[in-house]
Amino acid sequence: MSDRYKDARLNFSLRKTMTPQQIADMYNDFADEYEEVHLGLGLRSHLRIQEYMADTYKEDQRANLRVLDVGAGTGLVGEMLSELGFVQVDALDPARKMLDIAKTKNVYQRLICSFLNKDRIDEIETNQYDCITAAGAFNEGLIPVCAFHEMVRIVKPGGRIVFTITDKYIQITDGYRNDLLPFIQKMADEGVWDVTAIPLADGAIHLQDGPGTLYSFKVNVTEKMH
C-alpha cells in the first residue's frame, strides 16, 4: 500500500494517465520521504517564494496579511513564511498525509485538504486572502490552468498570486504547453490581473530543472457571490 504509483514520484510523464486522486494517493504514500528526497535532489522553489515575499511585503505588514499556501505539501513554504513573520497562513493540499506532516511544524492556522481546479472550494470565502503562494505546484497532474479562476475568486482585489514554474515544465506538461502562457496574457489583457514575471536562472527553482520564472499576478477584480 505504501508504494502506490511509486515510479511516478520522480518520473512526471507517468502522471499523464493518472487521475488527480491517484496523484494525491501517490503523495500520501511519499509523504514521509518527500522532503529528504526532493531537498536532496535540489528543490529550491520555496526559497524563491521566501525571497519574493520578503522583498514585496514590509515587516510591519506581514502579521496582518492572510496567505493561502497552495500545494502546501509538507510545509516548506509555510516554514519560510513563518520565518518572515507571516502568521495568518493556511495550507491547501489534496494529500492528507502531506498535510499531517505540515501540521507538526505549527506554521499554518488552517489545513484544507482539497484539490484546486475549476470547482469552488466551499471552505474558502470570496476575497478571503491577501496572497496565494505556490512552490513546486505546477507540473504534470498538479494545478490545472482552469484553477486560476478559483484563485482569483479567493484573493482580494489588490492581492497577489505568487508561484514558480520552470520553462521545462511548461513545455513538457500537456495542460500547460499550449495553454498556460496564452491564458496568462488573456487574463492580463482583460484586466483581471497585472503580471510581474521575474526570470530565474538555471537551478534557481530546482537544481536539475533548468531556468524558470517567478510569476506574481496582482489581482484587480473580484468574483461576485452568486
Side-chain angles (χ1 to χ4, degrees):
M1 194 66 174
S2 62
D3 284 338
R4 289 177 293 181
Y5 318 108
K6 185 174 182 178
D7 290 344
R9 292 177 179 179
L10 299 176
N11 184 350
F12 295 169
S13 65
L14 296 178
R15 301 180 188 177
K16 293 179 186 292
T17 58
M18 293 170 64
T19 67
Q21 187 57 56
Q22 287 172 332
I23 292 172
D25 290 340
M26 176 197 71
Y27 278 110
N28 279 324
D29 294 347
F30 190 24
D32 290 335
E33 304 164 63
Y34 176 84
E35 288 191 15
E36 180 181 358
V37 169
H38 275 290
L39 292 175
L41 291 171
L43 179 65
R44 303 168 76 184
S45 52
H46 54 298
L47 302 177
R48 305 292 82 82
I49 296 289
Q50 182 186 40
E51 290 166 355
Y52 179 81
M53 297 292 280
D55 290 343
T56 303
Y57 295 104
K58 297 177 181 178
E59 284 189 47
D60 60 0
Q61 294 179 313
R62 297 172 190 169
N64 296 319
L65 295 173
R66 300 195 68 175
V67 180
L68 179 65
D69 183 22
V70 164
T74 57
L76 291 172
V77 171
E79 289 182 285
M80 299 297 98
L81 295 177
S82 179
E83 288 179 8
L84 293 174
F86 292 93
V87 295
Q88 297 189 71
V89 183
D90 295 340
L92 175 77
D93 199 282
R96 171 58 65 188
K97 290 186 179 177
M98 297 281 274
L99 288 177
D100 288 345
I101 292 173
K103 184 178 181 179
T104 67
K105 298 179 178 179
N106 297 313
V107 293
Y108 296 112
Q109 289 191 323
R110 216 168 40 133
L111 299 155
I112 305 166
C113 189
S114 176
F115 292 98
L116 181 61
N117 49 38
K118 64 179 175 57
D119 298 327
R120 187 184 188 92
I121 300 171
D122 291 336
E123 299 98 311
I124 301 178
E125 298 173 9
T126 298
N127 300 338
Q128 184 165 347
Y129 292 101
D130 297 286
C131 185
I132 284 175
T133 58
F138 285 88
N139 57 52
E140 191 69 57
L142 301 187
I143 298 176
V145 172
C146 62
F148 281 107
H149 292 292
E150 177 66 353
M151 288 189 252
V152 168
R153 179 185 74 83
I154 63 184
V155 170
K156 300 173 184 177
R160 295 183 180 275
I161 300 168
V162 180
F163 67 98
T164 57
I165 187 167
T166 60
D167 299 345
K168 169 184 173 180
Y169 289 136
I170 294 176
Q171 294 306 314
I172 68 173
T173 302
D174 288 347
Y176 301 157
R177 187 183 307 112
N178 299 317
D179 300 327
L180 178 60
L181 297 181
F183 178 83
I184 290 171
Q185 187 60 52
K186 177 176 181 287
M187 295 281 271
D189 291 344
E190 293 175 358
V192 174
W193 56 39
D194 298 327
V195 176
T196 299
I198 301 171
L200 297 175
D202 188 343
I205 295 175
H206 195 295
L207 289 178
Q208 300 186 4
D209 286 340
T213 304
L214 184 146
Y215 283 103
S216 174
F217 303 155
K218 186 176 182 181
V219 176
N220 297 321
V221 301
T222 187
E223 183 199 76
K224 303 300 183 186
M225 298 292 285
H226 297 295

